[in-house]
Amino acid sequence: MHEKIFTLKVKICIHGTGVNGTSAMTERRIYVMREVVMNKKTNLLQLEEHFYQLADVKEPNVFHNLFPYDEIPKIAFNDRIVPHNMPENIWITDTTFRDGQQSRAPYTTEQIVTIYDYLHRLGGPKGLIRQSEFFLYSKKDRDAVYKCMERDYKFPEVTSWIRASKKDFQLVKEIGMKETGILVSCSDYHIFYKLKMTRREAMEHYLSIVRECLETGISPRCHLEDITRSDIYGFVIPFCLELMKLMDEYKIPVKIRACDTMGYGVNYPGAVIPRSIPGIIYGLRVHAGVPSELIEFHGHNDFYKGVVNASTAWLYGAGAVNCSLLGIGERTGNVPLEAMVFEYASLRGDFDGMNPTVITEIAEYLEKETGYETPPMTPFVGRNFNLTRAGIHADGIMKDPEIYNIFDTELILNRPPMVAISNTSGLAGIAVWINQYYGLKGAEAIDKKNEGVVTIKELIDQEYANGRITVISETEMIRYAEQYVFHRDVDYEDK
């Protein structure tokens, strides 16, 4: 049962005669007490949760005290702390072909299928990249869906995304999807200003679409858009309680995706809702009775909090986090899928079968085949993420890579640590570059005291003394190494 027992206050009016002969009314209150139950997780007695009813307000509550449009949004605290509740199983879902594709030129059908294959390999035998969602509106979108479904992978499961429209739902039925996402905007910004509805009208409209979805045996995934500006206990929790009733009625899972659409969510303990990610996940799980395996977090990176908010959602009870490859998405982007692969390994102790070397393949494919330019400093995938220019760092890497490399990037990502040569690289940087490029290890490795290395540094120093401001290119370094270290008269461009 997901419906909660709640305190019922009843006024009983007893008519009588007052002291001055006038009619008098006595008010009595009868309370239906909430049941005391044993919590099987904490092994402590607790009161049954309060029942939260829809607050069908006449005027929108847009929380301008927290979100003044002409100022920076405020992070307020009430120091109400909720406990960690990491689920037994956690996983990742993908929105590369939906939210990710909204912010860039569309992928071709062939590109979508290739990337889908990469996701399958990355997720490993346990399918930790659990689902991938698709648009259905264009023929190209539907062709890609059919081709990906033909792969017959168990994971990622192919799912769709639609607006809360019966016309859109027809597309889902025609294709034969087992699950679809449904946009259910939940802040008053959207309900009042975009949809031009009241909260009750919006809830009834959403529930009618969800019911129709369930009638056909399709599992709905409700995308609670803009949850971090919504009235959590006046709309979100009452709405989710109704969704859980429908799930009980139809015996079909109803998922809840908590969408931090504008990136307002914060991970700080004691922050107030609606900005508190711990508070939102706790409310969905405890007050609305949504099981962890049916809670999914979808974040944006407007305030640089996408990754930490997704990890926080896991820590407080969400089973899934929704991401896009390389974080490509609307405005500042979504939670990068590759980041959450590493967060998973950090929190669980290993990759649990996921293959992180595929991340490097994906980044290279997107750059080569789609023209996407990954920002060079992007963790795990940018060309500079494990590259050093400082001579002192290069010297440390030469002595022991663990000193300045975050982990064995060659083993885990097939990306050995690199050195870029400039005026600050020093002898060590030059030696490391030559050893890495030519694959020299052990007794074959070039030392920074090598005469050729010393000569190369003198030539580079002269370049910068003459006003050069760019790094030394790979072509230049090969010419230097061939001539002064290996003493080979080779024209690199003619090789």
Side-chain angles (χ1 to χ4, degrees), residues 132 192 256 405:
S132 190
F192 282 82
I256 305 299
N405 203 26

Side-chain angles (χ1 to χ4, degrees), residues 383 385-387 405 408-411 413-419 436:
R383 66 176 179 270
F385 102 91
N386 64 340
L387 178 146
N405 203 26
D408 190 340
T409 55
E410 184 170 14
L411 173 68
L413 285 168
N414 199 22
R415 291 275 304 271
M418 300 297 292
V419 174
Q436 288 176 341

Side-chain angles (χ1 to χ4, degrees), residues 219-236:
S219 179
R221 184 182 63 248
C222 298
H223 294 207
L224 272 64
E225 183 182 23
D226 204 23
I227 196 169
T228 47
R229 287 194 298 180
S230 68
D231 187 341
I232 301 298
Y233 290 99
F235 183 82
V236 172

